[in-house]
Amino acid sequence: MAMNLPLVNIIIPAHNAAGLISEALQSVQEQTYSHWQVIVVEDGTQDSTEAIVQIFAQAMGEGKVRYIRHPENQGVSATRNTAIAAAQGQYIALLDHDDTWEPEHLEKLVTRLEQTGADFAYAPAVFFEYHTHREIGIHGPQASEWTEFPHSLFNRSYIPVSGVVIRRSAANQVGGFDPKLQKAEDLDYWLRCVEAGLRFEYVSEVTNGYRQRNPKAATADKRGILEGHARVLRKHRNLTAVSRSVRDLVLARYHLGVVRRSFKTEPAKAWEFLYWSIRITPLGSLAALRWFLLETLGRETRYTTRGVA
């Protein structure tokens, strides 16, 4: 029966993954959707990841697992791209080595894609602590954000990487993740999918787990994340699928956020982002400054993709 189902290639980039990849692989094994193939690409590390993957491959049987290795570290975008290039199934599912899936993750998302003919499906993730697995919250769109898509996505990156299944034909159309980006490469990819005219579907049930990254990892760098998002949004400042008013205000808000957090410690960076904010959108910069001022004064502010109220 499995052979009558479309093949899903599961893309797992691995870097220093030995401590956690077993949990990710176990969640793959528990999937109710059975026609899948895992592609693990190890990005230049020398731990026991390969041995763990090979043990899993032997348990799953011939053809269920592929292991590829980068001799040198190339970064997560290039690593995902290597795996996607090796994919031959109808669908591609993204799974980071330190995240997990609920048993019905693939079944729910692939079924939605098959029923609707959409290109891209995603579901929210439960956000849990690094070691304890204690649930912290939900990573996904609010109801109003989904109804305002894609404007809301430009404002906030709410699509969890490990919650995505995409048609391989659509992924080929969009191209790979941008290896030049060190942060927010996922948001850049989602916005490129929007720009390419892909049809998105949202499955509202939580189907995956997003692990709070190690405090030493890049995602703990809040200012760095903000800067990465600002640079990606600047790259997409002419995205016509999002209204000009939303783009202007959000671009200014992110750029001025970097200014506010960098002014004392990295003044050159602060001036760089102030320059870009004013150059791209002087009116948006004024509106964002008003928003920041009200927030600083403790006044109630409500930011939406429609503006500041």
Side-chain angles (χ1 to χ4, degrees), residues 22-172:
S22 293
E23 290 184 47
L25 294 173
Q26 179 66 30
S27 74
V28 171
Q29 183 177 355
E30 294 172 354
Q31 290 300 296
T32 56
Y33 189 95
S34 58
H35 197 199
W36 51 259
Q37 181 193 52
V38 169
I39 303 176
V40 176
V41 180
E42 185 164 13
D43 192 28
T45 46
Q46 298 285 346
D47 58 14
S48 58
T49 296
E50 182 176 5
I52 294 170
V53 173
Q54 295 301 348
I55 292 171
F56 179 74
Q58 291 173 10
M60 293 298 98
E62 184 177 356
K64 295 293 283 185
V65 181
R66 289 189 62 185
Y67 172 84
I68 302 171
R69 178 179 177 78
H70 286 168
E72 304 292 336
N73 177 253
Q74 298 183 31
V76 68
S77 291
T79 305
R80 289 193 188 114
N81 292 344
T82 296
I84 292 171
Q88 296 182 333
Q90 184 174 340
Y91 294 107
I92 289 170
L94 303 178
L95 176 60
D96 283 354
H97 81 263
D98 50 357
D99 293 338
T100 58
W101 285 343
E102 294 298 315
E104 295 184 345
H105 172 75
L106 285 182
E107 182 179 353
K108 288 181 177 179
L109 271 67
V110 172
T111 297
R112 179 66 65 85
L113 289 168
E114 288 286 287
Q115 290 175 342
T116 64
D119 306 296
F120 185 114
Y122 72 97
V126 61
F127 194 44
F128 62 92
E129 283 188 343
Y130 186 78
H131 291 296
T132 67
H133 284 228
R134 184 179 68 86
E135 294 185 4
I136 301 171
I138 301 298
H139 178 41
Q142 303 295 322
S144 61
E145 288 177 314
W146 172 241
T147 59
E148 293 182 8
F149 179 89
H151 300 76
S152 57
L153 182 63
F154 197 87
N155 175 51
R156 185 174 77 89
S157 183
Y158 50 68
I159 299 178
V161 172
S162 297
V164 168
V165 177
I166 184 172
R167 289 186 187 273
R168 185 166 63 90
S169 57
N172 291 340

Side-chain angles (χ1 to χ4, degrees), residues 124-305:
V126 61
F127 194 44
F128 62 92
E129 283 188 343
Y130 186 78
H131 291 296
T132 67
H133 284 228
R134 184 179 68 86
E135 294 185 4
I136 301 171
I138 301 298
H139 178 41
Q142 303 295 322
S144 61
E145 288 177 314
W146 172 241
T147 59
E148 293 182 8
F149 179 89
H151 300 76
S152 57
L153 182 63
F154 197 87
N155 175 51
R156 185 174 77 89
S157 183
Y158 50 68
I159 299 178
V161 172
S162 297
V164 168
V165 177
I166 184 172
R167 289 186 187 273
R168 185 166 63 90
S169 57
N172 291 340
Q173 176 186 348
V174 173
F177 286 79
D178 187 344
K180 298 188 297 296
L181 295 174
Q182 300 301 312
K183 293 182 174 68
E185 80 290 335
D186 53 341
L187 176 60
D188 173 67
Y189 191 82
W190 313 151
L191 293 176
R192 284 166 51 212
C193 288
V194 170
E195 187 175 22
L198 300 194
R199 180 179 166 190
F200 285 66
E201 280 288 326
Y202 174 52
V203 176
S204 59
E205 299 97 328
V206 173
T207 66
N208 59 108
Y210 179 86
R211 189 185 304 270
Q212 180 189 44
R213 303 318 195 215
N214 189 317
K216 295 181 180 180
T219 48
D221 178 10
K222 293 183 179 180
R223 187 173 65 184
I225 296 170
L226 183 66
E227 179 183 340
H229 277 68
R231 292 187 185 279
V232 165
L233 295 176
R234 188 192 310 169
K235 176 181 175 182
H236 293 278
R237 61 185 179 272
N238 295 318
L239 181 62
T240 56
V242 176
S243 70
R244 178 65 183 270
S245 60
V246 169
R247 280 183 280 140
D248 284 354
L249 184 56
V250 174
L251 276 162
R253 183 165 158 257
Y254 272 91
H255 278 72
L256 294 178
V258 176
V259 173
R260 186 168 64 169
R261 288 166 175 79
S262 304
F263 203 80
K264 291 183 179 179
T265 56
E266 297 182 79
K269 180 176 291 184
W271 284 111
E272 173 197 348
F273 278 78
L274 180 61
Y275 162 78
W276 275 108
S277 180
I278 296 173
R279 175 182 171 179
I280 296 170
T281 170
L283 292 178
S285 298
L286 288 174
L289 281 171
R290 173 181 176 270
W291 189 84
F292 282 133
L293 179 61
L294 291 173
E295 183 185 49
T296 301
L297 294 174
R299 297 278 298 278
E300 182 179 352
T301 59
R302 181 174 60 85
Y303 181 83
T304 72
T305 56

